[in-house]
Amino acid sequence: MRTDTGQVFRLEDYRPSDYHIPLTDLTFRLSPDSTRVVSELTIERRDGVSGTLPLVLDGDGLVLKRVEIDGKALARSAYQATPDRLEIANPPARQFRLTIETEVMPSQNQALMGLYRSNGVYCTQCEAEGFRRITYFLDRPDILSVYTVRIEAKRDEAPLLLANGNPGERGDLSDGWHFAVWHDPFPKPSYLFALVAGDLGLVGDSFVTASGREVALGIYVEHGKERLAAYAMDALKRSMRWDEEVFGREYDLDVFNIVAVSDFNMGAMENKGLNVFNDKYVLADEETATDADFANIEAIIAHEYFHNWTGNRITCRDWFQLCLKEGLTVFRDHEFSADERSRAVKRIAEVRTLRAHQFPEDQGPLAHPVRPRRYREINNFYTATVYEKGSEVVRMIRTILGAEMFRKGMDLYFERHDGDAATIEDFLKVFEDASGRDLSQFALWYHQAGTPNVTVTASHNAGSNEFTLEIEQSVPPTPSESRKRLMHIPLAFGLVGKDGKDIAYTSVDGASVEDGVIHLRKRRHVVTFSGVTERPAVSLNRGFSAPITLSIEQKPEDLMFLARHDGDAFSRWQAFNTLLTDALITATRCVLGGKKPAFAKELVELAGTIAGDETLEHAFRALAISLPGEADIAREIGANIDPDAIYAAREALDGAIATTNQSHFKALYEKLSVAGPFNPDAASAGRRALRNALLDYLSVLPNGETLAASHFAAATNMTDRAAALMVLAHRHTKSAEAVNALAVFEGKYRSDALVMDKWFQIQAATPGLDAVDLVRRLTEHAAFSMTNPNRVRSLIGTFASVNQTGFHRADGAGYKFFVETVLAVEKRNPQVAARLATALRSWRSLEPGRQAKAREALLAISAAENLSADLRDIVERTLA
Ligand code: 0A1
Ligand code: ZN
């Protein structure tokens, strides 16, 4: 484990390396407890660099066995080696070959960075700085090298030997060993290096590219699970075709392999030609995976594949530029899913995710720009801001430029920077050059942290037929950025008339308005639309054109009207969601004041109308009628949060909607219950989503547990089964039906780790005071493991980040358990522990009692001895 050195890395300190490594030849002799790695590097000085120049290579916990230059052992006095660094004081001035032999222990590697074993399979994870745990290297993304890799292993232990690029020679060695050579012709940074060796089953297929080249596709999974990779393979082929059609990008190697492993710190990794996946994002069938799992698999398969161009062919100059590959690739996978599924539904889901994960980050102590300027531990910057907000920034570029210019800019990006380690400046420049637009103010979206607030007042003058919007922007201060500059915010809008159609206007004054988008550039704009003969309902930030918080005094009648008629599906959803959120905030205040919440009849009835509106997609209806989550409500309230009051308010609205609409919901539920063969497609998933949302409401009515129990018993797929189990476990906790369903589920899936994750997740989110004890008990369950990231995230992660009433228990018991667990996880896997610890990032918005307890918990973590760089960084920033 790397302990904290306190070193801070700064963007302004970037300078190119003095040395290049054009060729990297690696030989691995694999063994669980002692793997030998021989690295032969061709090293050159950068042009124009002269004089005595030490070569300093990065390491991390390495054991050096041998070092040679041009085939001769290096004198002990000529170099200095520590586990974390190899310095050669005075290497030859011309090109030379450096040979380094290291020893690593994959079986002991629980941090899952570098070379490790997962379920008996050797695999690697090198992003961001894992390659230095394998051999000494210039482990930075601007060192691009052509890799040739030879793997040697015992044939019976590892019949399968994979690395990046195309396969080369293979054969037998003595004593039951064998070898395989892989060559990747595309120069790449070390973080994209990968190796996999083990005994796995293959799902093979092929793909013919637009120019007619045949690519062999392979997905490797545990033996016996091949059938579960069919959906992933289908998603891969659709992704390859889509990237050709939409971005003009073809695949470039002869093979493309994906390996599913069961121990993985993140979702998946885009290693060139050899993606390594968390098995959760590969394996699926109707019996074991939910519709959400299918959608995630499709998105992540696409995401990693799309990295081949945005990340691999064009990589990042340094880790400050992480959003260059991640924001752009998320944008690409979002667009893919929107094309494959329902664009409107996809957009709503994206915005919900952004608000749930990125907004709290941007509004709390961990706020950072999409392109950060400093970091202590880069692993902690794989954040919602870099990924999700990074994607929103790319989306805004497209909004500003229009689809055609955007594509022209992307084409120029690929043409100009193929083979480069590029920067955000390079990226913005291609769009400026392609379109002739000035994006300098827009660039602040990359450089400035914080969610901009936009406040709007609207008025209509019937005498002059003018409609006026007074719009003001402000960006709140964030850590180490107290003064903010004004942003360029593209605000899509519509003026909706009585007939539900957008009203035309004759002219606009006060801001530039193009194609239904107001371009805000100043602190305040007074935008006047002339020729507006009726008072419109204004629909703002359509399609969520900018990642901002919007405050507009809007009459509930207008919001009701927009919820029924807005021509933009996202804004239609937003209007109803705003009404629900407002009602829940008021209800929370009632609860805190000791009063019983009451809700407007029109609102409660509108939920029924939307649920039954056959002109709307099922998935849209399901999203619309699902109440904002407890954390969403807390975020909107902003300060002095009492999770118990929010919970009670939400229960009250659930009850009111269910009671008012009961016969209608029951009839709809029945209508949607017709069984047919399972199809994972978006339309079928939407039907299931609506039916399960209705079940959730119906289950709060008398005998709700009986209905949920029969839904559970009759389920023919995991989506319905898990939905019913959740309703029982959360709404009828400890009822005979809940206890029985949990036991049945456990009995059936005990040996399927990924399904048991759902069982852990559902229980970890059980509302109320007992959850802490339940979760603590579940850490003793045979299917739980403190070393497997999926298990830890399902049980501990869900408890801490989803269970508002259980985790934020007023007596601090939730936090106490959390401290113990985070520290226990950290001993094995600092990266996973650091991510868990971000669950407390919004501690300052809690009411004073809980706030004090949360602070104590953070202090207890920071007081622990030998804290890893990962965890110390998160905890100290959270407390600062
Ligand atoms: N580049 C990957 C994410 C990733 C980052 C770090 C990892 O190390 C543990 C693993 C994966 C992606 O965006 O999918
Ligand atoms: Zn990515």
Side-chain angles (χ1 to χ4, degrees):
M1 178 169 95
R2 217 165 6 153
T3 44
D4 190 33
T5 59
Q7 194 179 353
V8 176
F9 298 89
R10 291 172 211 278
L11 171 61
E12 68 262 29
D13 293 342
Y14 172 83
R15 63 192 255 339
S17 164
D18 292 326
Y19 288 98
H20 293 303
I21 310 180
L23 297 175
T24 299
D25 295 342
L26 300 170
T27 301
F28 287 81
R29 194 160 169 90
L30 293 171
S31 136
D33 299 320
S34 166
T35 287
R36 289 300 180 107
V37 184
V38 178
S39 164
E40 296 184 72
L41 309 176
T42 301
I43 302 191
E44 288 170 1
R45 283 187 182 203
R46 183 158 58 93
D47 285 346
V49 176
S50 58
T52 308
L53 207 58
L55 171 67
V56 183
L57 301 181
D58 306 298
D60 183 356
L62 290 174
V63 177
L64 178 65
K65 291 291 175 185
R66 166 165 73 102
V67 52
E68 294 169 2
I69 283 188
D70 292 328
K72 290 203 198 71
L74 210 53
R76 267 310 280 118
S77 58
Y79 68 95
Q80 277 189 343
T82 70
D84 300 342
R85 200 175 126 95
L86 173 62
E87 176 168 349
I88 299 171
N90 192 12
R94 57 188 163 75
Q95 190 189 70
F96 61 97
R97 288 283 281 174
L98 175 65
T99 306
I100 299 166
E101 183 168 345
T102 51
E103 182 187 30
V104 295
M105 287 196 280
S107 63
Q108 303 298 305
N109 184 347
Q110 294 193 332
L112 315 184
M113 289 294 284
L115 177 64
Y116 65 96
R117 300 254 288 174
S118 173
N119 223 350
V121 176
Y122 293 92
C123 64
T124 55
Q125 172 54 41
C126 293
E127 187 176 7
E129 296 178 337
F131 193 69
R132 63 185 66 180
R133 290 164 63 92
I134 296 172
T135 182
Y136 295 98
F137 201 74
L138 291 174
D139 191 15
R140 44 188 282 173
D142 60 347
I143 295 295
L144 306 183
S145 192
V146 170
Y147 285 67
T148 305
V149 179
R150 177 184 164 98
I151 311 168
E152 300 178 359
K154 286 197 182 123
R155 186 185 276 284
D156 58 353
E157 187 184 73
L160 171 73
L161 305 174
L162 301 173
N164 313 93
N166 293 321
E169 197 192 343
R170 53 186 309 146
D172 284 325
L173 299 166
S174 55
D175 300 330
W177 285 65
H178 72 147
F179 76 96
V181 177
W182 289 79
H183 176 73
D184 181 359
F186 294 93
K188 66 169 176 287
S190 49
Y191 81 85
L192 290 174
F193 166 78
L195 166 160
V196 172
D199 190 0
L200 290 167
L202 166 66
V203 178
D205 208 323
S206 70
F207 180 85
V208 179
T209 68
S211 67
R213 277 187 328 98
E214 184 162 330
V215 182
L217 308 178
I219 300 186
Y220 291 90
V221 297
E222 242 174 66
H223 285 294
K225 298 200 169 162
E226 291 84 350
R227 194 181 52 79
L228 299 175
Y231 185 77
M233 181 59 88
D234 176 56
L236 173 61
K237 289 188 287 181
R238 286 186 282 120
S239 306
M240 295 178 86
R241 190 62 74 214
W242 184 91
D243 213 15
E244 293 182 342
E245 287 168 359
V246 178
F247 279 89
R249 297 298 107 200
E250 243 188 62
Y251 188 63
D252 48 13
L253 290 165
D254 303 338
V255 299
F256 185 76
N257 287 320
I258 290 175
V259 179
V261 298
S262 48
D263 301 82
F264 200 73
N265 282 348
M266 308 277 266
M269 180 62 212
E270 69 263 26
N271 317 300
K272 181 83 188 186
L274 177 55
N275 288 187
V276 175
F277 269 64
N278 185 325
D279 58 358
K280 173 179 165 65
Y281 297 116
V282 172
L283 306 173
D285 69 356
E286 65 204 80
E287 175 62 27
T288 55
T290 62
D291 291 325
D293 293 326
F294 279 100
N296 282 334
I297 290 171
E298 181 180 80
I300 297 178
I301 291 272
H303 179 96
E304 306 310 330
Y305 174 73
F306 296 156
H307 266 314
N308 191 53
W309 274 95
T310 50
N312 301 3
R313 290 284 287 254
I314 305 179
T315 193
C316 303
R317 186 193 73 174
D318 53 66
W319 290 121
F320 298 99
Q321 320 295 329
L322 184 57
C323 61
L324 177 75
K325 71 179 179 84
E326 297 304 347
L328 176 55
T329 306
V330 171
F331 171 75
R332 278 152 52 69
D333 84 57
H334 282 178
E335 282 300 293
F336 169 71
S337 297
D339 283 347
E340 297 288 303
R341 293 166 173 254
S342 154
R343 184 161 281 272
V345 168
K346 175 67 183 149
R347 189 64 187 139
I348 295 164
E350 282 160 19
V351 174
R352 281 177 40 147
T353 306
L354 185 83
R355 286 186 175 142
H357 301 289
Q358 200 276 327
F359 277 27
E361 190 165 272
D362 229 357
Q363 293 160 13
L366 300 181
H368 55 274
V370 172
R371 185 180 70 182
R373 275 181 297 279
R374 44 184 285 148
Y375 62 78
R376 274 166 67 178
E377 176 50 66
I378 189 57
N379 289 335
N380 290 337
F381 282 80
Y382 289 79
T383 61
T385 297
V386 168
Y387 276 66
E388 260 64 45
K389 188 174 179 183
S391 161
E392 294 300 319
V393 177
V394 177
R395 180 176 299 277
M396 285 189 284
I397 297 178
R398 191 182 61 178
T399 302
I400 292 169
L401 264 57
E404 219 171 286
M405 256 330 146
F406 177 77
R407 172 68 199 264
K408 228 178 117 190
M410 284 303 305
D411 288 349
L412 183 57
Y413 179 63
F414 294 123
E415 187 190 314
R416 190 181 279 175
H417 293 292
D418 186 11
D420 285 354
T423 62
I424 285 301
E425 282 72 17
D426 295 329
F427 184 64
L428 285 167
K429 184 82 168 49
V430 296
F431 294 106
E432 292 192 320
D433 290 354
S435 68
R437 289 206 187 223
D438 175 4
L439 294 175
S440 50
Q441 187 185 10
F442 179 82
L444 285 175
W445 281 104
Y446 281 110
H447 308 321
Q448 195 163 266
T451 310
N453 292 313
V454 173
T455 47
V456 181
T457 41
S459 57
H460 182 245
N461 184 331
S464 61
N465 287 341
E466 278 179 351
F467 181 70
T468 305
L469 293 173
E470 295 181 39
I471 311 177
E472 269 195 47
Q473 64 159 296
S474 65
V475 186
T478 52
S480 72
E481 280 180 15
S482 49
R483 296 202 46 225
K484 303 283 184 175
R485 288 153 69 194
L486 296 166
M487 316 274 282
H488 174 184
I489 300 174
L491 195 66
F493 76 105
L495 309 180
V496 187
K498 300 225 161 28
D499 60 357
K501 301 219 170 72
D502 281 11
I503 312 184
Y505 46 87
T506 49
S507 63
V508 203
D509 187 48
S512 94
V513 176
E514 296 168 65
D515 299 329
V517 177
I518 307 172
H519 292 267
L520 307 176
R521 291 194 171 88
K522 300 190 293 185
R523 180 168 312 285
R524 185 161 184 274
H525 289 260
V526 179
V527 190
T528 306
F529 299 86
S530 306
V532 181
T533 51
E534 58 170 299
R535 189 185 77 82
V538 61
S539 163
L540 283 178
N541 210 20
R542 279 187 159 173
F544 203 68
S545 61
I548 56 170
T549 48
L550 181 70
S551 325
I552 171 164
E553 278 295 318
Q554 222 161 3
K555 296 196 180 111
E557 308 86 270
D558 278 356
L559 283 170
M560 291 274 185
F561 180 79
L562 291 171
R564 289 197 165 92
H565 301 293
D566 199 318
D568 179 83
F570 170 79
S571 291
R572 195 166 166 185
W573 168 84
Q574 180 64 71
F576 189 58
N577 197 260
T578 303
L579 285 164
L580 291 172
T581 306
D582 291 349
L584 286 163
I585 293 173
T586 309
T588 304
R589 282 200 202 107
C590 279
V591 173
L592 286 169
K595 287 197 294 254
K596 197 166 171 279
F599 301 97
K601 189 161 165 280
E602 296 78 10
L603 174 73
V604 168
E605 284 176 356
L606 185 51
T609 311
I610 293 175
D613 186 340
E614 295 296 340
T615 66
L616 296 168
E617 292 176 84
H618 291 105
F620 178 94
R621 292 190 251 162
L623 282 171
I625 65 167
S626 306
L627 298 187
E630 293 153 66
D632 297 319
I633 304 162
R635 193 181 58 249
E636 292 299 323
I637 295 175
N640 230 347
I641 300 304
D642 177 341
D644 296 333
I646 293 177
Y647 180 77
R650 204 171 171 276
E651 288 274 287
L653 183 51
D654 258 329
I657 293 178
T659 311
T660 302
N661 297 292
Q662 63 179 290
S663 49
H664 172 48
F665 278 5
K666 184 91 192 135
L668 252 176
Y669 173 85
E670 294 301 341
K671 193 171 145 198
L672 289 163
S673 297
V674 283
F678 180 86
N679 190 332
D681 71 0
S684 317
R687 265 194 303 281
R688 286 186 285 274
L690 180 56
R691 181 163 170 268
N692 288 327
L694 294 167
L695 168 72
D696 193 34
Y697 279 116
L698 293 169
S699 73
V700 304
L701 298 169
N703 296 324
E705 64 272 44
T706 316
L707 177 69
S710 64
H711 191 106
F712 179 81
T716 55
N717 58 73
M718 184 50 76
T719 304
D720 293 340
R721 194 172 295 124
L725 187 64
M726 184 149 95
V727 163
L728 286 168
H730 293 184
R731 297 208 185 270
H732 301 281
T733 317
K734 295 188 184 156
S735 68
E737 287 82 355
V739 172
N740 176 58
L742 283 165
V744 168
F745 194 99
E746 180 191 11
K748 195 161 171 191
Y749 300 110
R750 172 168 298 164
S751 56
D752 188 330
L754 292 177
V755 182
M756 284 305 280
D757 282 345
K758 300 181 198 305
W759 189 79
F760 286 127
Q761 242 168 332
I762 287 170
Q763 294 183 81
T766 312
L769 302 182
D770 295 344
V772 186
D773 295 333
L774 172 61
V775 173
R776 195 187 285 278
R777 247 184 296 132
L778 288 173
T779 59
E780 306 293 321
H781 193 278
F784 183 77
S785 151
M786 214 58 133
T787 55
N788 180 284
N790 287 352
R791 295 311 86 74
V792 169
R793 281 187 288 253
S794 297
L795 187 61
I796 318 296
T798 303
F799 174 64
S801 61
V802 177
N803 194 336
Q804 303 295 307
T805 50
F807 178 54
H808 298 290
R809 231 171 85 156
D811 64 0
Y815 304 149
K816 198 163 158 284
F817 166 72
F818 180 70
V819 173
E820 289 163 27
T821 319
V822 166
L823 291 174
V825 172
E826 193 225 17
K827 302 232 166 357
R828 306 162 169 101
N829 191 326
Q831 223 179 88
V832 170
R835 200 162 269 264
L836 275 185
T838 63
L840 273 178
R841 66 186 168 196
S842 300
W843 67 281
R844 279 203 181 83
S845 51
L846 294 162
E847 52 79 23
R850 287 175 169 90
Q851 210 180 109
K853 295 251 174 347
R855 183 164 176 275
E856 275 169 33
L858 287 161
L859 288 170
I861 296 178
S862 90
E865 274 172 24
N866 291 328
L867 221 53
S868 61
D870 308 58
L871 190 53
R872 177 160 304 288
D873 173 45
I874 292 293
V875 171
E876 288 187 355
R877 279 194 286 141
T878 306
L879 278 166

